[in-house]
């Protein structure tokens, strides 16, 4: 973790702009392209010298693909990755005067080789990162050899020194990977990442495979090494508590997009995007009873081949907006929208489920449907209640299409039709949620009325 002042006025070391990685989905013998998985879909952020930027989000939201696209282990589909490292230009690599100087996505082989010396990766699984037949010392020293250091004695001295700096001993040089624990292997992986003196390290879930007690030690080591080596870090994790421990700023990712960015202190104290709120709410507390308002992030991440329209989070959002003139208790609103979604998806076994709850008639009843889908007995809003009642009636009568139609008259949300714009909350904190825009608009209107 760096002190925030180091960023003031500084040029970013890494600038990612509108980065996209779409994986084609093919079908049949001729591999006809029938769609694409939008793993990363227009991501932008900066990493400043000496800072640790966290990239956080649930599994499958595209974090690893961002990392791999930056270093071109995966070729990006579009966008720009600008690297402004100190050695750019010195070697000629990537520092050219062309139309896109420093754009990694356009680097040729030589430029890429030089870039990959300055930017190193550490992966989640420390076991598969090492060749079991090579001593760990040779694995680390190999990096020096590949980049032109031919003197074996110097190589060994550098590696021995680094092994000590990551908390192992020089004599570990000649031992094999299987002789080390997971935490020790991750220390060796850090030594290997640092041996070429890089400017940026991209660590992809570096402590997720380790026991909690070991995690804390490796995180402390990363912190120490960052100060000692003046490193910048892009730190990927699904775990908000790890992010809080190690990062200066955090970018929150959902389904291929960034939904919130800001200094860790601000984002944790005052999250602006409901997705961030939900992730924070999932952080374990010593006493879970102390947090009765825990937000449950229901459902799984939607398929990035077919992301929801408007705000991609609207299918799971606890703050999903109600249209003008509708005023339903918010958690009931969420549940009716879920019910509508399941009806649309044809994912309702209303007969089987609801019938169990109707003793008298033996067939499904309105009350049975409400109980089955966790809908309130009555909604407070008259118009909404009438629409729900009518829809359930149609459903019970076996006419799903009419039920969907009745529900859709009232149970619509602007979140599914409006793509949220980015809102700046000041101090480098921003997020993309339509609630901010409507709040801004109503503030403006109030201003006009009182003037
Ligand atoms: P995260 O790191 O956040 O867990 P990933 O970047 O690994 O997410 O994956 C993002 C999405 O892209 C997922 O839906 C995943 O299945 C998909 N994906 C990742 N790699 C590939 C690939 N090589 N081919 C097709 N789809 C992929």
């Amino acid at each position: 973790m760096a002190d925030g002042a180091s960023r003031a006025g500084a040029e970013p070391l890494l600038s990612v702009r509108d980065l996209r990685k779409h994986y084609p989905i093919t079908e049949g013998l001729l591999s006809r392209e029938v769609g694409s998985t939008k793993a990363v879909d227009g991501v932008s952020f900066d990493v400043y010298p000496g800072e640790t930027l966290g990239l956080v989000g649930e599994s499958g939201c595209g974090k690893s693909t961002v990392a791999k696209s930056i270093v071109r282990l995966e070729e990006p589909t579009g966008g720009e990755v600008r690297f402004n490292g100190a050695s750019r230009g010195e070697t000629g690599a990537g520092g050219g005067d062309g139309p896109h100087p420093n754009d990694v996505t356009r680097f040729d082989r030589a430029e890429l080789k030089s870039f990959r010396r300055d930017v190193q990766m550490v992966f989640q699984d420390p076991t598969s990162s090492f060749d079991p037949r090579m001593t760990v010392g040779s694995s680390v020293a190999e990096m020096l050899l590949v980049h032109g250091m031919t003197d074996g004695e110097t190589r060994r001295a550098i590696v021995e020194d680094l092994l000590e700096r990551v908390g192992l001993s020089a004599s570990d040089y000649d031992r094999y990977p299987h002789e080390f624990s997971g935490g020790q292997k991750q220390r060796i992986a850090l030594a290997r990442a640092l041996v070429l003196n890089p400017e940026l390290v991209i660590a992809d879930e570096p402590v997720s495979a380790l026991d909690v007690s070991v995690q804390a030690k490796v995180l402390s080591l990363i912190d120490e090494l960052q100060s000692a080596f003046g490193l910048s870090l892009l730190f990927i994790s699904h775990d908000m508590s790890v992010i809080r421990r190690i990062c200066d700023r955090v970018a929150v990712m959902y389904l291929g997009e960034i939904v919130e960015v800001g200094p860790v202190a601000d984002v944790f104290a005052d999250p602006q995007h409901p997705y961030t709120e939900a992730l924070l709410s999932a952080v374990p507390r010593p006493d879970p009873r102390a947090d009765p308002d825990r937000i449950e992030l229901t459902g799984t991440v939607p398929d990035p081949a077919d992301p929801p329209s408007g705000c991609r989070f609207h299918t799971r959002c606890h703050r999903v907006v109600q249209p003008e003139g509708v005023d339903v208790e918010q958690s009931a609103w969420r549940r009716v929208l879920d019910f509508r979604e399941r009806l649309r998806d044809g994912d309702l076994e209303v007969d089987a489920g609801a019938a169990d709850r109707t003793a008298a008639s033996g067939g499904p009843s309105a009350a049975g449907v409400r109980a089955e889908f966790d809908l309130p007995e009555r909604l407070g809003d008259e118009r909404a209640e009438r629409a729900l009642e009518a829809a359930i009636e149609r459903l019970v009568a076996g006419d799903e299409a009419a039920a969907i139609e009745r529900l859709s008259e009232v149970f619509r949300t602007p979140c599914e039709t409006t793509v949220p714009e980015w809102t700046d909350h000041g101090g480098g904190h921003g997020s993309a949620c339509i609630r901010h825009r409507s709040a801004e608009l109503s503030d403006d209107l109030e201003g006009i009325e009182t003037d």
Side-chain angles (χ1 to χ4, degrees):
M1 219 183 282
D3 82 64
S6 63
R7 234 172 31 243
E11 187 187 7
L13 177 64
L14 183 81
S15 284
V16 174
R17 288 294 172 271
D18 198 23
L19 185 67
R20 273 166 286 130
K21 177 65 189 178
H22 297 177
Y23 293 105
I25 301 171
T26 55
E27 217 176 62
L29 281 176
L30 298 174
S31 296
R32 195 166 53 93
E33 196 173 325
V34 290
S36 65
T37 298
K38 294 157 193 77
V40 177
D41 206 18
V43 158
S44 302
F45 60 83
D46 294 318
V47 182
Y48 289 90
E51 79 163 345
T52 302
L53 176 74
L55 188 59
V56 73
E58 286 161 287
S59 174
C61 70
K63 306 178 298 294
S64 290
T65 308
V66 167
K68 288 185 206 150
S69 302
I70 289 172
V71 296
R72 284 181 51 190
L73 288 175
E74 295 282 0
E75 283 301 332
T77 310
E80 246 182 47
V81 175
R82 284 179 185 267
F83 182 66
N84 303 307
S87 65
R88 310 284 94 203
E90 232 176 65
T91 56
D97 302 323
H100 304 280
N102 298 357
D103 183 358
V104 180
T105 66
R106 290 163 190 263
F107 280 180
D108 62 22
R109 276 172 69 103
E111 289 170 328
L112 203 54
K113 186 174 178 200
S114 154
F115 170 72
R116 286 187 179 155
R117 194 185 58 212
D118 292 339
V119 178
Q120 293 290 324
M121 278 195 76
V122 176
F123 297 97
Q124 176 174 348
D125 179 5
T127 300
S128 60
S129 317
F130 291 97
D131 182 341
R133 294 157 304 182
M134 268 172 101
T135 64
V136 295
S138 326
S139 275
V140 179
E142 198 185 24
M143 302 282 285
L144 293 168
L145 187 61
V146 168
H147 285 272
M149 184 176 284
T150 47
D151 174 6
E153 259 176 52
T154 313
R155 280 203 308 269
R156 187 171 180 111
I158 291 173
V159 173
E160 284 180 347
D161 173 55
L162 255 179
L163 287 174
E164 283 176 352
R165 290 181 77 168
V166 297
L168 298 167
S169 66
S171 60
D172 287 326
Y173 189 106
D174 296 311
R175 294 170 66 197
Y176 287 88
H178 74 266
E179 299 176 60
F180 295 92
S181 68
Q184 287 171 326
K185 272 187 261 197
Q186 212 52 325
R187 287 171 188 268
I188 301 163
L190 283 166
R192 187 172 53 186
L194 294 175
V195 73
L196 293 169
N197 211 4
E199 292 185 69
L200 175 69
V201 171
I202 301 179
D204 188 356
E205 303 270 12
V207 298
S208 306
L210 308 177
D211 292 345
V212 174
S213 58
V214 181
Q215 277 192 7
K217 289 185 190 137
V218 174
L219 286 174
S220 298
L221 174 66
I222 292 176
D223 232 2
E224 278 167 35
L225 293 171
Q226 187 194 19
S227 319
F229 287 78
L231 282 177
S232 304
L233 267 170
L234 176 60
F235 190 98
I236 295 173
S237 177
H238 66 281
D239 185 342
M240 276 292 202
S241 46
V242 169
I243 294 283
R244 174 163 45 196
R245 167 74 187 74
I246 193 106
C247 299
D248 301 295
R249 291 191 307 128
V250 60
V252 182
M253 203 171 166
Y254 185 72
L255 210 55
E257 297 178 333
I258 287 182
V259 297
E260 181 158 2
V261 174
V264 162
D266 297 357
V267 171
F268 276 70
D270 190 17
Q272 295 294 320
H273 197 284
Y275 181 58
T276 314
E277 267 187 300
L279 288 180
L280 283 173
S281 179
V283 173
R285 314 251 166 125
D287 178 8
R289 283 165 305 174
D291 188 13
D293 298 329
R294 193 162 182 268
I295 304 158
E296 215 183 318
L297 200 47
T298 51
T300 48
V301 179
D303 184 356
D306 183 21
S309 60
C311 170
R312 292 184 176 182
F313 188 52
H314 84 257
T315 55
R316 302 168 76 197
C317 181
H318 58 286
R319 293 194 189 277
V320 60
V321 175
Q322 307 187 20
E324 198 83 12
V326 176
D327 187 14
V328 172
E329 190 271 316
Q330 186 60 25
S331 68
W333 176 252
R334 173 71 270 165
R335 294 202 298 275
V336 184
L337 288 184
D338 288 345
F339 174 59
R340 185 203 68 174
E341 212 54 38
R342 288 182 62 185
L343 259 183
R344 280 186 181 167
D345 292 347
D347 179 26
L348 290 189
E349 289 190 10
V350 69
D351 286 342
D356 291 346
R357 291 179 159 72
T358 54
S361 66
S365 74
V369 171
R370 287 194 195 236
E372 181 70 18
F373 297 101
D374 202 17
L375 301 170
E377 284 175 24
R378 269 196 78 75
L379 296 176
D381 182 303
E382 269 310 311
R383 192 170 141 241
E385 172 56 27
R386 276 201 305 278
L388 179 60
E389 208 174 272
I392 294 175
E393 235 169 62
R394 302 290 191 282
L395 186 63
V396 168
D399 189 349
E400 284 190 20
I404 294 170
E405 203 172 304
R406 286 314 306 267
L407 278 181
S408 304
E409 283 167 18
V410 174
F411 300 97
R412 288 174 276 115
T413 168
C415 302
E416 63 190 331
T417 48
T418 312
V419 175
E421 285 175 36
W422 194 255
T423 306
D424 190 351
H425 309 293
H429 189 181
S431 66
C433 172
I434 74 162
R435 285 158 46 254
H436 306 316
R437 199 36 62 106
S438 19
E440 261 179 31
L441 288 176
S442 54
D443 283 353
D444 288 352
L445 286 176
E446 272 172 30
I448 291 167
E449 278 161 19
T450 50
D451 279 347

PDB file of all heavy atoms in Angstrom, residues 389-412:
ATOM      1  N   GLU A 389     -52.216  -9.201  -8.694  1.00  0.00           N
ATOM      2  CA  GLU A 389     -53.360 -10.078  -8.465  1.00  0.00           C
ATOM      3  C   GLU A 389     -53.884 -10.642  -9.794  1.00  0.00           C
ATOM      4  O   GLU A 389     -54.098 -11.853  -9.932  1.00  0.00           O
ATOM      5  CB  GLU A 389     -54.454  -9.243  -7.800  1.00  0.00           C
ATOM      6  CG  GLU A 389     -55.404  -9.994  -6.921  1.00  0.00           C
ATOM      7  CD  GLU A 389     -56.334  -8.986  -6.229  1.00  0.00           C
ATOM      8  OE1 GLU A 389     -55.941  -8.499  -5.153  1.00  0.00           O
ATOM      9  OE2 GLU A 389     -57.389  -8.683  -6.795  1.00  0.00           O
ATOM     10  N   ALA A 390     -54.039  -9.730 -10.773  1.00  0.00           N
ATOM     11  CA  ALA A 390     -54.562 -10.153 -12.077  1.00  0.00           C
ATOM     12  C   ALA A 390     -53.605 -11.140 -12.741  1.00  0.00           C
ATOM     13  O   ALA A 390     -54.028 -12.142 -13.342  1.00  0.00           O
ATOM     14  CB  ALA A 390     -54.770  -8.925 -12.966  1.00  0.00           C
ATOM     15  N   ALA A 391     -52.313 -10.862 -12.609  1.00  0.00           N
ATOM     16  CA  ALA A 391     -51.321 -11.738 -13.240  1.00  0.00           C
ATOM     17  C   ALA A 391     -51.366 -13.135 -12.621  1.00  0.00           C
ATOM     18  O   ALA A 391     -51.335 -14.151 -13.333  1.00  0.00           O
ATOM     19  CB  ALA A 391     -49.929 -11.132 -13.090  1.00  0.00           C
ATOM     20  N   ILE A 392     -51.468 -13.175 -11.287  1.00  0.00           N
ATOM     21  CA  ILE A 392     -51.485 -14.486 -10.614  1.00  0.00           C
ATOM     22  C   ILE A 392     -52.752 -15.251 -10.996  1.00  0.00           C
ATOM     23  O   ILE A 392     -52.713 -16.464 -11.226  1.00  0.00           O
ATOM     24  CB  ILE A 392     -51.340 -14.324  -9.082  1.00  0.00           C
ATOM     25  CG1 ILE A 392     -49.953 -13.766  -8.753  1.00  0.00           C
ATOM     26  CG2 ILE A 392     -51.556 -15.647  -8.376  1.00  0.00           C
ATOM     27  CD1 ILE A 392     -49.716 -13.449  -7.282  1.00  0.00           C
ATOM     28  N   GLU A 393     -53.846 -14.492 -11.109  1.00  0.00           N
ATOM     29  CA  GLU A 393     -55.107 -15.126 -11.539  1.00  0.00           C
ATOM     30  C   GLU A 393     -54.937 -15.815 -12.894  1.00  0.00           C
ATOM     31  O   GLU A 393     -55.330 -16.959 -13.093  1.00  0.00           O
ATOM     32  CB  GLU A 393     -56.167 -14.042 -11.706  1.00  0.00           C
ATOM     33  CG  GLU A 393     -57.445 -14.267 -10.916  1.00  0.00           C
ATOM     34  CD  GLU A 393     -58.291 -13.008 -10.962  1.00  0.00           C
ATOM     35  OE1 GLU A 393     -58.697 -12.616 -12.090  1.00  0.00           O
ATOM     36  OE2 GLU A 393     -58.502 -12.396  -9.890  1.00  0.00           O
ATOM     37  N   ARG A 394     -54.334 -15.110 -13.832  1.00  0.00           N
ATOM     38  CA  ARG A 394     -54.108 -15.673 -15.175  1.00  0.00           C
ATOM     39  C   ARG A 394     -53.205 -16.902 -15.092  1.00  0.00           C
ATOM     40  O   ARG A 394     -53.411 -17.896 -15.767  1.00  0.00           O
ATOM     41  CB  ARG A 394     -53.438 -14.664 -16.110  1.00  0.00           C
ATOM     42  CG  ARG A 394     -54.175 -13.374 -16.300  1.00  0.00           C
ATOM     43  CD  ARG A 394     -55.470 -13.573 -17.104  1.00  0.00           C
ATOM     44  NE  ARG A 394     -56.042 -12.327 -17.507  1.00  0.00           N
ATOM     45  CZ  ARG A 394     -56.747 -11.512 -16.692  1.00  0.00           C
ATOM     46  NH1 ARG A 394     -56.933 -11.844 -15.437  1.00  0.00           N
ATOM     47  NH2 ARG A 394     -57.232 -10.376 -17.133  1.00  0.00           N
ATOM     48  N   LEU A 395     -52.205 -16.774 -14.243  1.00  0.00           N
ATOM     49  CA  LEU A 395     -51.248 -17.880 -14.115  1.00  0.00           C
ATOM     50  C   LEU A 395     -51.946 -19.127 -13.574  1.00  0.00           C
ATOM     51  O   LEU A 395     -51.755 -20.244 -14.080  1.00  0.00           O
ATOM     52  CB  LEU A 395     -50.111 -17.449 -13.177  1.00  0.00           C
ATOM     53  CG  LEU A 395     -48.958 -18.428 -13.032  1.00  0.00           C
ATOM     54  CD1 LEU A 395     -48.255 -18.630 -14.365  1.00  0.00           C
ATOM     55  CD2 LEU A 395     -47.945 -17.913 -12.006  1.00  0.00           C
ATOM     56  N   VAL A 396     -52.761 -18.918 -12.557  1.00  0.00           N
ATOM     57  CA  VAL A 396     -53.487 -20.038 -11.952  1.00  0.00           C
ATOM     58  C   VAL A 396     -54.409 -20.666 -12.997  1.00  0.00           C
ATOM     59  O   VAL A 396     -54.594 -21.893 -13.025  1.00  0.00           O
ATOM     60  CB  VAL A 396     -54.275 -19.554 -10.702  1.00  0.00           C
ATOM     61  CG1 VAL A 396     -55.252 -20.605 -10.222  1.00  0.00           C
ATOM     62  CG2 VAL A 396     -53.299 -19.193  -9.589  1.00  0.00           C
ATOM     63  N   ALA A 397     -54.953 -19.806 -13.900  1.00  0.00           N
ATOM     64  CA  ALA A 397     -55.831 -20.319 -14.950  1.00  0.00           C
ATOM     65  C   ALA A 397     -55.036 -20.979 -16.083  1.00  0.00           C
ATOM     66  O   ALA A 397     -55.602 -21.459 -17.065  1.00  0.00           O
ATOM     67  CB  ALA A 397     -56.685 -19.183 -15.501  1.00  0.00           C
ATOM     68  N   GLY A 398     -53.725 -20.951 -15.959  1.00  0.00           N
ATOM     69  CA  GLY A 398     -52.891 -21.644 -16.941  1.00  0.00           C
ATOM     70  C   GLY A 398     -52.488 -20.788 -18.140  1.00  0.00           C
ATOM     71  O   GLY A 398     -51.922 -21.285 -19.108  1.00  0.00           O
ATOM     72  N   ASP A 399     -52.760 -19.463 -18.075  1.00  0.00           N
ATOM     73  CA  ASP A 399     -52.421 -18.595 -19.205  1.00  0.00           C
ATOM     74  C   ASP A 399     -51.186 -17.749 -18.854  1.00  0.00           C
ATOM     75  O   ASP A 399     -51.292 -16.596 -18.418  1.00  0.00           O
ATOM     76  CB  ASP A 399     -53.634 -17.699 -19.539  1.00  0.00           C
ATOM     77  CG  ASP A 399     -53.421 -16.935 -20.840  1.00  0.00           C
ATOM     78  OD1 ASP A 399     -52.282 -16.939 -21.351  1.00  0.00           O
ATOM     79  OD2 ASP A 399     -54.395 -16.336 -21.331  1.00  0.00           O
ATOM     80  N   GLU A 400     -50.024 -18.328 -19.074  1.00  0.00           N
ATOM     81  CA  GLU A 400     -48.775 -17.654 -18.672  1.00  0.00           C
ATOM     82  C   GLU A 400     -48.521 -16.379 -19.455  1.00  0.00           C
ATOM     83  O   GLU A 400     -48.055 -15.384 -18.914  1.00  0.00           O
ATOM     84  CB  GLU A 400     -47.591 -18.603 -18.853  1.00  0.00           C
ATOM     85  CG  GLU A 400     -47.540 -19.639 -17.759  1.00  0.00           C
ATOM     86  CD  GLU A 400     -46.247 -20.427 -17.792  1.00  0.00           C
ATOM     87  OE1 GLU A 400     -45.253 -19.949 -18.387  1.00  0.00           O
ATOM     88  OE2 GLU A 400     -46.245 -21.526 -17.228  1.00  0.00           O
ATOM     89  N   ALA A 401     -48.860 -16.425 -20.763  1.00  0.00           N
ATOM     90  CA  ALA A 401     -48.600 -15.254 -21.606  1.00  0.00           C
ATOM     91  C   ALA A 401     -49.378 -14.048 -21.088  1.00  0.00           C
ATOM     92  O   ALA A 401     -48.830 -12.934 -20.978  1.00  0.00           O
ATOM     93  CB  ALA A 401     -48.983 -15.557 -23.056  1.00  0.00           C
ATOM     94  N   ALA A 402     -50.643 -14.268 -20.721  1.00  0.00           N
ATOM     95  CA  ALA A 402     -51.459 -13.157 -20.208  1.00  0.00           C
ATOM     96  C   ALA A 402     -50.914 -12.688 -18.861  1.00  0.00           C
ATOM     97  O   ALA A 402     -50.929 -11.489 -18.552  1.00  0.00           O
ATOM     98  CB  ALA A 402     -52.911 -13.601 -20.072  1.00  0.00           C
ATOM     99  N   ALA A 403     -50.425 -13.633 -18.052  1.00  0.00           N
ATOM    100  CA  ALA A 403     -49.857 -13.260 -16.756  1.00  0.00           C
ATOM    101  C   ALA A 403     -48.652 -12.346 -16.948  1.00  0.00           C
ATOM    102  O   ALA A 403     -48.520 -11.309 -16.286  1.00  0.00           O
ATOM    103  CB  ALA A 403     -49.459 -14.524 -15.989  1.00  0.00           C
ATOM    104  N   ILE A 404     -47.791 -12.710 -17.886  1.00  0.00           N
ATOM    105  CA  ILE A 404     -46.589 -11.894 -18.144  1.00  0.00           C
ATOM    106  C   ILE A 404     -47.007 -10.496 -18.599  1.00  0.00           C
ATOM    107  O   ILE A 404     -46.456  -9.480 -18.159  1.00  0.00           O
ATOM    108  CB  ILE A 404     -45.691 -12.563 -19.214  1.00  0.00           C
ATOM    109  CG1 ILE A 404     -45.139 -13.878 -18.668  1.00  0.00           C
ATOM    110  CG2 ILE A 404     -44.566 -11.642 -19.648  1.00  0.00           C
ATOM    111  CD1 ILE A 404     -44.436 -14.746 -19.688  1.00  0.00           C
ATOM    112  N   GLU A 405     -48.031 -10.466 -19.465  1.00  0.00           N
ATOM    113  CA  GLU A 405     -48.496  -9.181 -19.996  1.00  0.00           C
ATOM    114  C   GLU A 405     -48.993  -8.282 -18.860  1.00  0.00           C
ATOM    115  O   GLU A 405     -48.647  -7.112 -18.793  1.00  0.00           O
ATOM    116  CB  GLU A 405     -49.622  -9.452 -20.994  1.00  0.00           C
ATOM    117  CG  GLU A 405     -49.816  -8.330 -21.985  1.00  0.00           C
ATOM    118  CD  GLU A 405     -50.808  -8.763 -23.047  1.00  0.00           C
ATOM    119  OE1 GLU A 405     -50.574  -9.813 -23.698  1.00  0.00           O
ATOM    120  OE2 GLU A 405     -51.822  -8.078 -23.164  1.00  0.00           O
ATOM    121  N   ARG A 406     -49.795  -8.842 -17.949  1.00  0.00           N
ATOM    122  CA  ARG A 406     -50.324  -8.040 -16.843  1.00  0.00           C
ATOM    123  C   ARG A 406     -49.185  -7.532 -15.946  1.00  0.00           C
ATOM    124  O   ARG A 406     -49.168  -6.376 -15.558  1.00  0.00           O
ATOM    125  CB  ARG A 406     -51.312  -8.853 -15.981  1.00  0.00           C
ATOM    126  CG  ARG A 406     -52.670  -9.108 -16.580  1.00  0.00           C
ATOM    127  CD  ARG A 406     -53.310  -7.877 -17.206  1.00  0.00           C
ATOM    128  NE  ARG A 406     -53.412  -6.695 -16.350  1.00  0.00           N
ATOM    129  CZ  ARG A 406     -54.470  -6.380 -15.609  1.00  0.00           C
ATOM    130  NH1 ARG A 406     -55.525  -7.161 -15.598  1.00  0.00           N
ATOM    131  NH2 ARG A 406     -54.480  -5.280 -14.884  1.00  0.00           N
ATOM    132  N   LEU A 407     -48.240  -8.424 -15.673  1.00  0.00           N
ATOM    133  CA  LEU A 407     -47.114  -8.021 -14.814  1.00  0.00           C
ATOM    134  C   LEU A 407     -46.309  -6.896 -15.460  1.00  0.00           C
ATOM    135  O   LEU A 407     -45.923  -5.933 -14.800  1.00  0.00           O
ATOM    136  CB  LEU A 407     -46.177  -9.207 -14.578  1.00  0.00           C
ATOM    137  CG  LEU A 407     -46.546 -10.209 -13.501  1.00  0.00           C
ATOM    138  CD1 LEU A 407     -45.475 -11.284 -13.428  1.00  0.00           C
ATOM    139  CD2 LEU A 407     -46.672  -9.533 -12.130  1.00  0.00           C
ATOM    140  N   SER A 408     -46.111  -7.030 -16.779  1.00  0.00           N
ATOM    141  CA  SER A 408     -45.235  -6.071 -17.468  1.00  0.00           C
ATOM    142  C   SER A 408     -45.848  -4.675 -17.533  1.00  0.00           C
ATOM    143  O   SER A 408     -45.133  -3.701 -17.779  1.00  0.00           O
ATOM    144  CB  SER A 408     -44.910  -6.562 -18.879  1.00  0.00           C
ATOM    145  OG  SER A 408     -44.343  -7.847 -18.783  1.00  0.00           O
ATOM    146  N   GLU A 409     -47.158  -4.567 -17.280  1.00  0.00           N
ATOM    147  CA  GLU A 409     -47.778  -3.237 -17.294  1.00  0.00           C
ATOM    148  C   GLU A 409     -47.216  -2.358 -16.173  1.00  0.00           C
ATOM    149  O   GLU A 409     -47.043  -1.164 -16.323  1.00  0.00           O
ATOM    150  CB  GLU A 409     -49.303  -3.359 -17.101  1.00  0.00           C
ATOM    151  CG  GLU A 409     -50.018  -3.817 -18.355  1.00  0.00           C
ATOM    152  CD  GLU A 409     -51.453  -4.233 -18.056  1.00  0.00           C
ATOM    153  OE1 GLU A 409     -51.987  -3.848 -16.992  1.00  0.00           O
ATOM    154  OE2 GLU A 409     -52.022  -4.954 -18.894  1.00  0.00           O
ATOM    155  N   VAL A 410     -46.941  -2.956 -15.033  1.00  0.00           N
ATOM    156  CA  VAL A 410     -46.480  -2.167 -13.885  1.00  0.00           C
ATOM    157  C   VAL A 410     -45.039  -2.516 -13.494  1.00  0.00           C
ATOM    158  O   VAL A 410     -44.237  -1.652 -13.161  1.00  0.00           O
ATOM    159  CB  VAL A 410     -47.401  -2.413 -12.660  1.00  0.00           C
ATOM    160  CG1 VAL A 410     -46.857  -1.711 -11.421  1.00  0.00           C
ATOM    161  CG2 VAL A 410     -48.810  -1.932 -12.968  1.00  0.00           C
ATOM    162  N   PHE A 411     -44.736  -3.810 -13.587  1.00  0.00           N
ATOM    163  CA  PHE A 411     -43.441  -4.259 -13.058  1.00  0.00           C
ATOM    164  C   PHE A 411     -42.366  -4.162 -14.125  1.00  0.00           C
ATOM    165  O   PHE A 411     -41.893  -5.145 -14.677  1.00  0.00           O
ATOM    166  CB  PHE A 411     -43.573  -5.655 -12.458  1.00  0.00           C
ATOM    167  CG  PHE A 411     -44.563  -5.667 -11.330  1.00  0.00           C
ATOM    168  CD1 PHE A 411     -45.870  -6.058 -11.535  1.00  0.00           C
ATOM    169  CD2 PHE A 411     -44.188  -5.203 -10.087  1.00  0.00           C
ATOM    170  CE1 PHE A 411     -46.790  -6.021 -10.509  1.00  0.00           C
ATOM    171  CE2 PHE A 411     -45.100  -5.149  -9.049  1.00  0.00           C
ATOM    172  CZ  PHE A 411     -46.407  -5.555  -9.262  1.00  0.00           C
ATOM    173  N   ARG A 412     -42.023  -2.906 -14.418  1.00  0.00           N
ATOM    174  CA  ARG A 412     -40.940  -2.580 -15.337  1.00  0.00           C
ATOM    175  C   ARG A 412     -39.941  -1.747 -14.548  1.00  0.00           C
ATOM    176  O   ARG A 412     -40.316  -1.112 -13.572  1.00  0.00           O
ATOM    177  CB  ARG A 412     -41.475  -1.713 -16.487  1.00  0.00           C
ATOM    178  CG  ARG A 412     -42.332  -2.467 -17.473  1.00  0.00           C
ATOM    179  CD  ARG A 412     -42.927  -1.510 -18.482  1.00  0.00           C
ATOM    180  NE  ARG A 412     -44.140  -0.893 -17.968  1.00  0.00           N
ATOM    181  CZ  ARG A 412     -44.297   0.396 -17.703  1.00  0.00           C
ATOM    182  NH1 ARG A 412     -43.315   1.243 -17.888  1.00  0.00           N
ATOM    183  NH2 ARG A 412     -45.431   0.860 -17.228  1.00  0.00           N
TER     184      ARG A 412
END
